[in-house]
Amino acid sequence: MNAIKACIFDLDGVIIDTAKYHFKAWSEIAENLGIQFDQKLNENLKGVGRMESLDYILSLANVTKSDEEKIELATTKNNNYLKLIANIDRKELLNGVLSFLDDLKKNNFLIALGSSSKNAKLILDTVQLSPYFDAIIDGNDTTHSKPDPEVFIKGSVALGVSPKNIVVFEDAPKGVEAAKKGGFKCIGIGEWKNLIHADYVMDGFSNFLTKDLARIY
Ligand code: BG6
Ligand code: MG
């Protein structure tokens, strides 16, 4: 048994309910390209970086774009996304996440963020959660998008804790894959059918505290 010393949280869809805004902003881009985009296709984008997500959508549309056109489309998506999150506040946090973060602090666990988003720091600052994190690794710090484990490995190094002593919380199939590839423990947030490789799946953090980590591991 490896004792849990730290937790690494994905951001979108784990700490805060912003995954729906990414979906909305990508849907608009996809529809303009003539693609019927839905929640099922969107599962493939969760946890995936902005340009990689665009490449996936373009492959569905079977169209090729120049680098300049791609940057323009990605910028449009991001501007739409930023408009959608302009007024977010703590009401959008997942149920129970704040109590769990408080409980982790009280019990001296280390906490990191491991997100693919380049907007992660902006969002954490907006909802005033940054002080909880001992390390923040996001899309600006990585070159390989999930399912590559880079973001979590960098989190593990920043915390000085081995992956086997860390639990990653993820809502994305590709995020779970990244965590398992990196040798981390992983709890899925969402539906079991999308997160079958996670060690355990739950739909949020309601009534979830550090003592429950000991129950699972
Ligand atoms: C991930 C989201 O956290 O970040 C993806 O799950 C998103 O949906 C990715 O595409 C990149 O985000 P951003 O904010 O840098 O465009
Ligand atoms: Mg996510």
Side-chain angles (χ1 to χ4, degrees), residues 10 12-14 170-172:
D10 172 49
D12 299 303
V14 168
E170 256 297 348
D171 69 317

Side-chain angles (χ1 to χ4, degrees), residues 22-73:
H22 279 296
F23 172 61
K24 202 159 185 240
W26 279 128
S27 296
E28 224 173 286
I29 298 287
E31 276 155 28
N32 285 339
L33 291 164
I35 302 158
Q36 286 281 359
F37 195 62
D38 57 23
Q39 298 277 7
K40 193 157 179 253
L41 288 173
N42 189 55
E43 284 303 311
N44 298 311
L45 295 192
K46 282 188 180 171
V48 177
R50 198 181 302 166
M51 290 314 284
E52 291 85 353
S53 298
L54 177 62
D55 283 337
Y56 178 74
I57 287 176
L58 292 175
S59 76
L60 292 177
N62 211 6
V63 292
T64 314
K65 298 276 181 193
S66 68
D67 287 350
E68 291 73 27
E69 287 170 321
K70 283 208 238 180
I71 289 169
E72 205 180 312
L73 282 167

